[in-house]
Amino acid sequence: MRTIASSWRILLWGMLAVFALSAQDWIAGLESGDENERVKAVRAMAKSPDGFRYLDKLAPLLSDDSEEVRAAAVIALMKMRSLEAQPLLIEAAADTSPNVQALAVDGLVSLYVPDYVRLGRLSALRSFASSLKSRFSKPSPLVVSAYVDVNPAALVAIANVLVQGSSNEAKANAARALGVLRGTDHVDALLEGARSRDSATIIESVLAIKKIQAISAGPDIVFLLRDPVQEVQEAAILTVGQLRTPEAVPQLVQICEGSAKGRIRAHALTALAKIPDNGQRRLFTSFLSHKDKLLRAAAAEGLGRVGDPADKRVVDHQFSIERAEGVRLSLAFAGVLLGNPLRLAYLIEGLNSTTRRLEARPFLVELARDPEVLSKLYIPLTTGSVPQRRHLAFVLSQSGTQQSIPHLEDLTRDAVPEVSAAAVEALRVLRAGRM
């Protein structure tokens, strides 16, 4: 036994010696006069299990003459996933290179949203620059939970990139980051981005305003409803609807009545449906039996929110003859708002559908703001299917009250791990929102 123990001790010391030698090698390489050697040393440091202990060695490389070296240093900081790297990433966000700026912004976001960056794909600066240009083809659904405290200095650094960034891609990337990190104190920077001449920067800024629910910014982006670029116009429509901007009503009506693009008309009608006291009951009624199912769905939502009891019969009739599942969900939502409680069960059942649950869930979030509806969700919260229990936990996280907390606490003991995890997350969000 002593011989075996001695052998393991010798092997352990040998491994430590190799690591120590390796660390000595890359530490020396960081100070090499050769650019390629410095890049190699930084990459070796990022792979080292104790590389995070030498963060101070990376600091001088953030002001290196070589853009490739500075980028490698930022990537190394990102791969360490340590909050201790945050001050250096904040410093790197002020780099003169747009690619280094964008890398630093990604690094700051990834400290709070670990899956934001696919670290395995980060290597050469050239490949990152290429991927950055294609990033904005679709919006990011990510946003940090309400209980996450983001360092204000990190948000300031990101906002500075949006306003003063060295390229349109870096600015658009910063705008997206502010939305993901809920940069509620930087609406002015986002509004400046919304006035950019670059479509990607405008879109990312407007969608970030939507994510952080900056209601005061709504009137300042109404002008974008006339933008000739369809993607910009669409982002503006979605945002003024979500922010319930009354100043947008006249132009949204014009789009509904005059646009030749069905998708844009449907978005505009949906946006109108979300704005209270819009005076468009007749417009919603006219689209309720339209051949376009997106317009029928939007019209149903609008009539439901108008809340005229006289529309209950026609909405119930449309529900009985409608065949498109998405429209039926909208009609069920309207039915509950108009006084038909039986339709609530249909929406809850919609949570079982992998293709429709993310349509049903927002309706339930809105309906649950009514205490009577909220109380009816507690039973399926514990007796429903796994998808129902999991998604109803999310609904309560958004619209629950103090009385919802014991129900979620019970759900944290659910036998299904994904359900109990959803309940834990919902409790954290709900409690953060009530602080």
Side-chain angles (χ1 to χ4, degrees):
M1 292 296 292
R2 289 182 180 177
T3 303
I4 295 174
S6 299
S7 299
W8 274 106
R9 191 176 295 111
I10 292 170
L11 178 60
L12 179 61
W13 280 108
M15 292 173 64
L16 291 173
V18 169
F19 279 130
L21 180 62
S22 176
Q24 289 176 3
D25 285 345
W26 56 250
I27 288 174
L30 296 176
E31 300 176 357
S32 170
D34 183 272
E35 174 186 330
N36 292 330
E37 289 299 317
R38 296 199 298 281
V39 170
K40 285 173 58 178
V42 171
R43 290 174 180 168
M45 177 183 180
K47 293 178 181 178
S48 173
D50 60 348
F52 69 94
R53 300 179 185 275
Y54 301 90
L55 281 175
D56 60 313
K57 301 292 184 182
L58 280 180
L61 298 184
L62 295 178
S63 55
D64 196 280
D65 290 338
S66 165
E67 180 189 27
E68 197 74 47
V69 171
R70 301 199 305 277
V74 173
I75 292 172
L77 291 169
M78 295 168 68
K79 291 185 175 181
M80 290 176 190
R81 293 191 182 281
S82 169
L83 281 175
E84 294 178 5
Q86 189 165 216
L88 295 179
L89 289 169
I90 289 172
E91 177 186 342
D95 196 280
T96 55
S97 161
N99 292 319
V100 175
Q101 289 174 356
L103 275 169
V105 167
D106 280 2
L108 289 169
V109 177
S110 66
L111 292 176
Y112 301 95
V113 185
D115 296 333
Y116 189 69
V117 179
R118 295 185 180 181
L119 295 176
R121 294 187 177 183
L122 285 177
S123 54
L125 183 62
R126 185 179 303 171
S127 63
F128 172 77
S130 176
S131 66
L132 184 62
K133 289 184 178 181
S134 62
R135 176 177 297 186
F136 310 113
S137 59
K138 58 180 181 180
S140 169
L142 295 173
V143 61
V144 294
S145 296
Y147 55 78
V148 175
D149 292 325
V150 179
N151 183 353
L155 293 171
V156 168
I158 295 170
N160 286 340
V161 175
L162 172 55
V163 176
Q164 304 170 4
S166 302
S167 74
N168 288 329
E169 289 80 13
K171 290 181 178 182
N173 192 55
R176 173 174 289 202
L178 285 177
V180 172
L181 294 181
R182 296 183 188 268
T184 54
D185 292 335
H186 299 282
V187 174
D188 287 345
L190 291 169
L191 285 174
E192 185 162 340
R195 292 189 287 268
S196 168
R197 294 184 179 181
D198 175 65
S199 293
T201 303
I202 296 171
I203 292 169
E204 293 297 336
S205 297
V206 168
L207 293 179
I209 288 170
K210 174 175 173 282
K211 272 188 180 180
I212 65 178
Q213 291 290 295
I215 294 174
S216 63
D220 292 316
I221 63 171
V222 168
F223 76 98
L224 293 173
L225 296 174
R226 300 188 300 270
D227 198 277
V229 177
Q230 180 172 335
E231 292 78 7
V232 172
Q233 185 186 36
E234 186 172 336
I237 290 171
L238 293 172
T239 301
V240 296
Q242 191 66 30
L243 301 182
R244 302 189 300 176
T245 305
E247 292 85 352
V249 169
Q251 289 190 41
L252 290 173
V253 171
Q254 288 181 11
I255 294 170
C256 290
E257 294 178 338
S259 177
K261 300 170 182 174
R263 180 182 174 89
I264 290 293
R265 293 176 78 193
H267 281 315
L269 195 63
T270 301
L272 270 174
K274 294 179 178 180
I275 300 173
D277 304 320
N278 53 55
Q280 300 305 315
R281 177 172 175 264
R282 182 177 298 178
L283 183 68
F284 295 136
T285 302
S286 69
F287 281 108
L288 193 60
S289 57
H290 197 277
K291 64 180 180 180
D292 187 324
K293 62 183 180 182
L294 294 178
L295 287 167
R296 295 200 304 276
E301 294 169 34
L303 282 179
R305 293 192 182 101
V306 168
D308 190 330
D311 293 322
K312 179 179 179 297
R313 183 180 59 81
V314 68
V315 166
D316 283 344
H317 173 70
Q318 285 298 128
F319 182 87
S320 68
I321 64 173
E322 180 61 58
R323 294 294 174 262
E325 193 61 35
V327 183
R328 285 173 65 82
L329 288 171
S330 295
L331 286 162
F333 166 73
V336 176
L337 288 174
L338 293 170
N340 186 347
L342 297 177
R343 299 288 183 243
L344 183 63
Y346 189 83
L347 291 168
I348 296 172
E349 181 60 31
L351 297 176
N352 285 324
S353 168
T354 56
T355 57
R356 296 297 176 187
R357 62 176 53 130
L358 293 184
E359 295 177 37
R361 196 172 74 173
F363 291 144
L364 289 167
V365 167
E366 184 172 341
L367 292 170
R369 294 169 190 156
D370 179 342
E372 185 176 345
V373 173
L374 179 62
S375 66
K376 293 177 180 178
L377 299 182
Y378 295 142
I379 293 177
L381 181 69
T382 54
T383 63
S385 65
V386 168
Q388 286 173 334
R389 301 199 305 276
R390 182 162 63 90
H391 288 281
L392 284 174
F394 174 84
V395 171
L396 265 62
S397 77
Q398 303 299 304
S399 302
T401 64
Q402 187 70 34
Q403 288 68 42
S404 306
I405 291 177
H407 296 278
L408 286 172
E409 288 176 335
D410 288 343
L411 199 64
T412 62
R413 294 183 284 275
D414 194 281
V416 179
E418 63 180 299
V419 174
S420 60
V424 170
E425 174 72 7
L427 271 174
R428 296 181 73 183
V429 173
L430 181 58
R431 285 169 170 155
R434 295 187 59 80
M435 289 175 61

